[in-house]
Amino acid sequence: MKNWCQKDGQKPNEKYHYPQILLKNRKPDRILTLEEYRLDDGYAALEDTLKNLKPKEITQKIDEAGIRGRGGAGFPLGKKWLSIPDDAPFPRYFVVNCDEMEPGTFKDRVLLHTNPHNLIEAMIIAGYAISARKGFIFVRPSYETLSQILERELEIARQEGYLGENILGSGFSFDIVVHRSGGRYICGEATALLNAIQGKRPNPKQPPPYPTTRGMWDKPTVTNNVETIVWVPHVLRHGARWYKSLAATRTGEGTKLYCVSGKVNNPGCFELPMGTRLSEIIDVHAGGMIEGSEFKACIPGGASTRFLTRKYYDVEMDFDSFRMVGHRLGTAAIIVFDHKTCLVDATLNLMEFFARESCGWCTPCREGLPYICELLRKIENGDGKAEFVGILKEMSKFLWNSYCAFAPGAMSSLESLITYFEDEIFEHIWEKKCPFKV
Ligand SMILES: Cc1cc2nc3c(=O)[nH]c(=O)nc-3n(C[C@H](O)[C@H](O)[C@H](O)COP(=O)(O)O)c2cc1C
Ligand code: SF4
């Protein structure tokens, strides 16, 4: 079998050839059709589940597998489902988060452009497991083609009896709506997202109550990332042991979609065992650094994670291995910077993104981010002063006093810039210009 990330004409390297589950049968120019998915046992898990399993049994099986949320936080999927109390009211809702506005992250788009029916099957099973009758897929507006693909494939699934009333004669009814996001990064935060679907202003909402007890329209609501939920039919078909065995490390589980961008030869989205080393991802799968470039640092898990330096080039990329070295795996979207890249400028770029995307609800985030941008811009343009560094240090701590996880996430690159590249900031200040600009 050709590894999908292998370029045409390239010889397969057995050592780095891993099972493809989520991106299996990926086509260069089109999605996998319902027929093709069924030939590969698609919807078999749904048929079996509806016939033979009670909702609680599904949740137990999913919990046993230990699937961890791929939306960034790594929260266990089974535990989230189990947190709906047995006597929780109806109706209940199941929501899939396909907002994917974290810079550097494009795995959910690749996944759904490969096999949308995997998601549809997973959502129906999830709906059955939590006794929901309605599901939503929340899609960022720049993924309009994807929204249209999903709507078309949902209709095909409806005609085949997989969606709607009395699915496959089981008595269970469930349907799915595609909801286009208004197009702000904060809409991807799970509680802001639920406000957005209800037609409210998408401000985050601090728990308690948790959405699994009081979510949309005050009813129990579960939200999962696309890459998390698509595992459900695979795990039900092959079991928890198989799922765990796919990982490269004991602390990992399953495979992971790693997105790589920046100064590499072969940027892309690679399905690899969870826990694959960063060095292997960059040097082998992403084709190594482009000629004349040396690895300086990377942002390993999307814009809200810290700069990771050469010291951890060999780190195993799973949630716990990352935590142990003081980093966060986030979405595992790796942006690679080389020795010619100015990290003050890169951080300014990220801060401008966060300042623009803040929902404006709380003062430290709303006022603090533009101020940080102003200081970084001055430093980058050669107008910086030494005391700015102290202020930036203070600010990177102060923004933790914000209402939601957005502002602490925004501070990851700034804090790590100061921790690992303080000399580079001072070089700008003493030389009164950016040392990287020719
Ligand atoms: C500012 C912000 C943006 C987020 N954007 C996304 C997103 O686009 N997609 C996503 O799945 N999770 C996103 N999250 C994480 C969600 O809040 C939530 O943890 C996730 O959707 C839960 O799914 P999981 O348990 O399957 O990972 C974001 C979080 C924050 C703080
Ligand atoms: S931290 Fe930022 S995004 Fe979060 S509530 Fe406050 S202003 Fe909004």
Side-chain angles (χ1 to χ4, degrees), residues 323-334:
R323 199 171 35 81
M324 282 188 274
V325 296
H327 285 267
R328 261 189 347 102
L329 184 68
T331 58
I334 305 159

Side-chain angles (χ1 to χ4, degrees), residues 68-77 80 96-102 107-108 185-191 193 223-229 304 331 354 404-407:
R68 294 183 67 172
R70 308 304 206 232
F75 191 82
L77 175 61
K80 194 181 276 187
V96 165
N97 191 343
C98 184
D99 195 52
E100 198 161 67
M101 274 193 68
E102 180 89 6
K107 64 192 180 62
D108 297 340
Y185 172 59
I186 193 61
C187 295
E189 195 279 336
T191 56
L193 182 155
T223 306
N224 278 122
N225 173 254
V226 175
E227 191 194 350
T228 315
I229 194 70
S304 49
T331 58
F354 284 111
C404 84
F406 174 97

Side-chain angles (χ1 to χ4, degrees), residues 186 203-204 357-363 365-366 402-408:
I186 193 61
N203 289 124
E357 296 296 326
S358 162
C359 83
W361 182 257
C362 58
T363 314
C365 174
R366 185 187 61 237
S402 306
Y403 186 67
C404 84
F406 174 97

